[in-house]
Amino acid sequence: MTHNDRWVSIREARQETSVGKTVEVRGWVRTRRDSKAGFSFVELNDGSCFGNLQVVAPGELDNYAEEVQKLTAGCSVVVVGKIEASPAKGQATELHAQSVRVLGWCDGETYPLQKKRHSFEKLREWAHLRARTNTFGAVTRVRNQICDSIHNFFQENEFYYIQTPIITASDCEGAGEMFRVTSLDLDGLAKSGRPVNYEWDFFNKPTYLTVSGQLEAETYATALGRVYTFGPTFRAENSNTSRHLAEFWMVEPEVAFFELADNMRLAEAFLKRILTDCLQQCDEDMTFFEQRIAPGVIEQLTRVVEQPFEHMTYTAAIEVLEGSNESFEYPIRWGADLQAEHERYLTEKHVGGPVILTDYPSTIKPFYMRVSDDGKTVAAMDVLVPGVGEIIGGSQREERLDVLRRRMQEAELDMDEYAWYVDLRRFGTVPHAGFGLGLERAVQYVTGMANIRDVIPFPRTPGNADF
């Protein structure tokens, strides 16, 4: 909201319905060029949309020679003028300026975002500026749309949004790849040679950054029925691949009285909603990704939206892979986790569309997943899509007290630390299920960006915590 009724976004100014209106726009200069006819064309963008607004600045402006003709990329300005239909190809409108006021000059000699194309790797060094580029502006708007769709989907389906702790004493995944949080003077302890005593620590025990809010979400699901958590999670995995981050965002719904089949239906509807909204609400940005980043991405997303998800057990998938005559880098055997190359074969070559794999071996899945009647598998599910492989992972949770205790003992977990979790099975246990979607994986899939570090504003990876 603003007290200035004339101030509109550049997105609104570019619409044909704005023709004839006198408006004020505010933004940053992308380019400027002078016409021999005595006026300047200034391309302006405020981040509200992919395309720029062309401003026609006449030479009669009071500050034309002193300021308008000195504008360079990066300068911020306020322009008042009338929206006119544009004779130029590719744009519906242009703004005929009545005044141009410079808010902030930009040092053209040191400003790194010049016309020359920079690699995405180079732009990571300027993460504080890269959102001003076409690519990262588009990524940010798509990321925002996905976040909006996530909240809208769950709110419309009567889920409650809860906030789970960032600091935790439990390891949800049991993998041990956690960042320790402490207020102890570790340098002082190292110099003194004394052992670390966590009874002196802030929480009087070892604590870590969370890898998942699932376990805490289960407590509220078993009271309120339908909940979801959406926030930052952390994994201390020393991986420098294009698919891994140390800090990332996860959305994790949890539903009481749900079994695996219910969970699968929810995941399919959820993913289709996200993709549909991106295709419909971010058409200009998606056209850019189609043309400049990942040709075919729009068709790929459309097919996922339109096709029913095929269901296949892990065992059936292993049989398909073993009989495929494909040369995989990682060997295929029952009991081993599937790799991205296996998942992509199943979706892209075998099925030709999205697949939900179920019933994984219990030995490769966490303790909280429900053990099946065969005693060998668990009620797990992974949603696989063409182009990336796994995008959602989830399961029906183990609601039987005796089975949960046995699984926790097999995982060598400290039963005292998880006493509160066990209580959920002691006091009115019910079947329940949920899943997790990594926000950055989703953004990467929708945009076709090759590296996950380019779909989060400030990536955190091994050896890198800048900005």
Side-chain angles (χ1 to χ4, degrees):
M1 297 296 291
T2 173
H3 65 278
N4 184 348
D5 293 335
R6 293 188 307 183
W7 180 14
V8 301
S9 69
I10 283 177
R11 179 175 184 171
E12 182 178 344
R14 293 177 65 234
Q15 297 174 359
E16 291 185 23
T17 53
S18 294
V19 171
K21 295 179 181 178
T22 298
V23 301
E24 175 181 296
V25 296
R26 307 178 182 189
W28 292 269
V29 174
R30 288 292 180 87
T31 64
R32 181 192 59 81
R33 61 186 175 88
D34 295 328
S35 168
K36 293 180 181 179
F39 55 87
S40 291
F41 293 109
V42 181
E43 294 286 329
L44 211 60
N45 195 287
D46 64 355
S48 62
C49 58
F50 182 86
N52 302 324
L53 176 66
Q54 179 171 273
V55 175
V56 181
E60 292 77 25
L61 293 175
D62 293 341
N63 61 342
Y64 183 76
E66 294 80 6
E67 293 187 329
V68 174
Q69 287 192 302
K70 295 179 181 178
L71 291 173
T72 61
C75 293
S76 58
V77 296
V78 177
V79 182
V80 175
K82 188 176 181 180
I83 298 292
E84 302 284 2
S86 176
K89 187 178 180 181
Q91 58 186 31
T93 65
E94 61 187 23
L95 180 62
H96 289 204
Q98 298 164 358
S99 69
V100 176
R101 179 162 56 98
V102 181
L103 296 179
W105 292 98
C106 182
D107 184 353
E109 293 185 3
T110 60
Y111 187 53
L113 304 180
Q114 302 296 341
K115 285 186 178 181
K116 166 186 157 183
R117 279 192 73 134
H118 298 287
S119 68
F120 293 151
E121 291 79 5
K122 188 64 179 177
L123 287 172
R124 287 179 211 136
E125 299 177 15
W126 306 318
H128 59 304
L129 298 174
R130 67 177 181 169
R132 301 185 186 191
T133 65
N134 287 334
T135 300
F136 289 94
V139 166
T140 303
R141 285 185 292 271
V142 169
R143 183 184 173 103
N144 174 75
Q145 179 59 59
I146 292 175
C147 292
D148 187 54
S149 298
I150 287 169
H151 285 296
N152 287 338
F153 175 85
F154 288 120
Q155 292 297 322
E156 291 166 10
N157 285 280
E158 299 183 307
F159 281 70
Y160 295 102
Y161 176 37
I162 63 167
Q163 296 75 41
T164 50
I166 291 177
I167 297 176
T168 180
S170 58
D171 181 0
C172 176
E173 299 299 330
E177 298 167 336
M178 303 179 74
F179 289 99
R180 180 159 287 173
V181 178
T182 181
S183 62
L184 294 173
D185 178 9
L186 299 182
D187 289 338
L189 288 171
K191 291 176 182 177
S192 68
R194 291 180 295 170
V196 176
N197 185 347
Y198 285 101
E199 292 183 359
W200 304 339
D201 209 346
F202 189 89
F203 295 105
N204 303 120
K205 63 169 69 172
T207 53
Y208 311 88
L209 294 178
T210 185
V211 300
S212 169
Q214 177 208 310
L215 301 189
E216 290 86 354
E218 286 187 52
T219 68
Y220 272 73
T222 53
L224 299 176
R226 297 183 171 207
V227 302
Y228 71 104
T229 181
F230 187 17
T233 53
F234 308 84
R235 195 181 297 274
E237 183 178 2
N238 190 19
S239 175
N240 266 306
T241 76
S242 61
R243 290 168 52 87
H244 292 91
L245 290 166
E247 177 184 334
F248 52 98
W249 282 64
M250 287 282 290
V251 56
E252 297 174 291
E254 197 71 31
V255 191
F257 310 106
F258 256 36
E259 297 184 352
L260 185 62
D262 305 304
N263 205 33
M264 293 160 64
R265 284 190 291 269
L266 179 69
E268 180 173 348
F270 172 63
L271 186 58
K272 288 185 173 183
R273 170 63 179 275
I274 289 175
L275 302 187
T276 298
D277 286 353
C278 287
L279 291 169
Q280 292 180 350
Q281 303 300 324
C282 302
D283 54 329
E284 202 172 29
D285 293 314
M286 290 306 303
T287 297
F288 167 77
F289 290 120
E290 173 75 28
Q291 294 175 347
R292 304 296 294 272
I293 303 297
V297 67
I298 291 178
E299 180 185 358
Q300 179 174 269
L301 299 182
T302 301
R303 291 180 65 186
V304 173
V305 168
E306 294 177 348
Q307 286 184 256
F309 288 15
E310 183 157 326
H311 300 169
M312 182 185 300
T313 66
Y314 167 91
T315 300
I318 291 295
E319 293 173 356
V320 168
L321 292 167
E322 287 178 335
S324 67
N325 294 321
E326 288 282 319
S327 178
F328 295 114
E329 179 182 354
Y330 293 91
I332 304 296
R333 65 176 179 84
W334 199 97
D337 210 354
L338 298 182
Q339 302 299 316
E341 60 175 342
H342 308 141
E343 296 167 344
R344 292 191 61 176
Y345 175 84
L346 293 170
T347 58
E348 296 168 22
K349 296 184 178 181
H350 180 67
V351 173
V355 183
I356 303 181
L357 288 190
T358 62
D359 304 292
Y360 282 78
S362 60
T363 53
I364 61 174
K365 290 297 182 179
F367 70 94
Y368 54 75
M369 295 188 176
R370 194 182 198 278
V371 178
S372 304
D373 292 342
D374 61 14
K376 298 179 181 179
T377 61
V378 289
M381 67 168 203
D382 282 344
V383 179
L384 314 180
V385 290
V388 67
E390 180 193 346
I391 195 168
I392 288 177
S395 72
Q396 183 176 338
R397 317 309 188 190
E398 182 56 76
E399 87 280 8
R400 297 165 295 185
L401 178 60
D402 57 335
V403 179
L404 178 65
R405 280 176 167 162
R406 187 184 77 240
R407 290 275 285 160
M408 294 175 73
Q409 290 169 351
E410 291 171 354
E412 299 182 349
L413 297 177
D414 185 339
M415 300 294 284
D416 291 337
E417 287 291 344
Y418 292 87
W420 59 273
Y421 187 71
V422 174
D423 276 353
L424 303 180
R425 279 70 178 172
R426 296 175 58 220
F427 307 131
T429 188
V430 294
H432 58 289
F435 60 79
L437 169 75
L439 174 61
E440 285 71 31
R441 287 280 179 90
V443 179
Q444 194 177 9
Y445 181 58
V446 170
T447 61
M449 295 291 286
N451 197 310
I452 201 166
R453 303 178 193 198
D454 296 325
V455 298
I456 189 169
F458 302 102
R460 299 292 184 250
T461 53
N464 176 43
D466 294 333
F467 308 100

